[in-house]
Amino acid sequence: SFRGMDRSGIFFLLFCFGLAGSVSPGCGRRELLRRVPLSLGTWPMAAMAASAASYQTQSIFEGGAGGLSKAKPKTGVTLADRLVEREASPGRVEAQVVLSSGFPVDVGFQSSPNWKTLSGVAARDVSTGTGAFLLVAQQRTLDEAADVVFASDGKFGAYGAPSQVETLASKRLPDGSALWEFAFDALTPSMREVPRRILVRGYPVDGDVVLLVAGSTAARWRTDEPLLRKTVDSFEVVPAPDFSAAMQSFRRRTTTRPAAADSSGP
């Protein structure tokens, strides 16, 4: 029944039914995406205008990270004080995060001074989409953590799970962290597939893995790669100070301090 549904919702359903009728049972994802633009004449003009105004070129699409998104992506990030600071130095992003066990950690990374700080411990170049954001893979090991990056309800899955995922590099670092490099395709709001490249660095802490994801479109990779590598190299995860409210709260609930990765070195 269409009762209670607004006009745009009815229009969208009619569009989907019409598209489904024109696709054969064996039609693949790429063929389906190819046919979508042929039926866009049935979309409400207001939605088309909004999409065009926000994404005139595919190069700025962030796959949901700070950009247009159907739903708020799940990052696993819980801020201790609901504040992301960027005052220590130009481009420095810092925050205190509470893990799934309740254990608090201080995280930080050095981004470009030209990037805009976003909610959820993230920074992005609003003109290109190049940027970095924090993820917490809850109750995962290092071997499992990278899967969270490509979750359908994550930053890159706002319009469908990423496809053509390829692991280009993977290694463990002396400080106990891991570093990955991936290539994949992400869907944009207009349902186009855009090749992307990302670097991911993760620290295991008390049953979770704290991840920094830094990346760009494949077209900008050669230009942005040096900055992105500096960004992940600067990533730090350390236990919150003993005097912090979050740590004191944690200690009141447990008598044993869990082992935590310290990326600050000896």
Side-chain angles (χ1 to χ4, degrees):
S1 174
F2 292 128
R3 183 173 299 175
M5 186 177 293
D6 61 22
R7 190 174 180 181
S8 62
I10 296 173
F11 222 81
F12 176 73
L13 284 177
L14 292 175
F15 161 76
C16 290
F17 292 147
L19 180 60
S22 67
V23 177
S24 61
C27 179
R29 171 171 164 172
R30 292 184 180 275
E31 176 64 15
L32 177 62
L33 294 177
R34 185 185 67 81
R35 296 190 184 193
V36 167
L38 300 179
S39 303
L40 284 180
T42 61
W43 278 87
M45 293 304 294
M48 289 287 289
S51 178
S54 301
Y55 293 94
Q56 294 181 7
T57 68
Q58 300 303 325
S59 64
I60 65 170
F61 176 63
E62 185 65 11
L68 186 62
S69 177
K70 293 190 298 183
K72 185 176 181 180
K74 294 182 179 180
T75 63
V77 175
T78 301
L79 297 178
D81 55 9
R82 303 296 177 187
L83 178 66
V84 177
E85 300 177 354
R86 193 179 182 179
E87 300 175 353
S89 63
R92 182 70 182 175
V93 179
E94 299 178 343
Q96 192 169 95
V97 175
V98 179
L99 303 181
S100 62
S101 65
F103 188 73
V105 293
D106 285 350
V107 301
F109 63 90
Q110 185 66 37
S111 69
S112 167
N114 297 323
W115 291 1
K116 179 181 179 181
T117 301
L118 305 170
S119 61
V121 196
R124 181 168 67 99
D125 185 327
V126 296
S127 65
T128 66
T130 297
F133 61 89
L134 191 73
L135 283 178
V136 175
Q138 298 179 345
Q139 301 302 306
R140 301 292 183 99
T141 66
L142 270 178
D143 292 333
E144 302 167 331
D147 295 339
V148 176
V149 177
F150 303 106
S152 59
D153 58 359
K155 290 278 191 177
F156 297 118
Y159 297 93
S163 62
Q164 309 299 321
V165 178
E166 180 182 359
T167 303
L168 304 178
S170 175
K171 64 179 179 180
R172 299 292 178 92
L173 302 178
D175 63 359
S177 67
L179 179 65
W180 300 270
E181 181 178 343
F182 297 102
F184 63 98
D185 291 346
L187 284 173
T188 71
S190 59
M191 303 305 288
R192 294 182 182 273
E193 290 184 322
V194 174
R196 298 191 63 86
R197 291 275 293 271
I198 58 172
L199 296 169
V200 182
R201 189 172 184 181
Y203 284 95
V205 185
D206 195 32
D208 293 350
V209 179
V210 186
L211 302 160
L212 183 70
V213 182
S216 69
T217 59
R220 290 197 56 85
W221 181 254
R222 180 172 295 183
T223 299
D224 293 339
E225 181 185 5
L227 174 58
L228 294 170
R229 290 196 179 278
K230 288 181 180 179
T231 299
V232 297
D233 285 347
S234 71
F235 184 41
E236 295 179 333
V237 182
V238 297
D242 287 337
F243 60 79
S244 68
M247 183 61 80
Q248 291 180 10
S249 175
F250 174 78
R251 289 194 181 286
R252 284 194 294 268
R253 289 183 283 110
T254 180
T255 58
T256 304
R257 179 170 179 165
D262 188 338
S263 64
S264 59

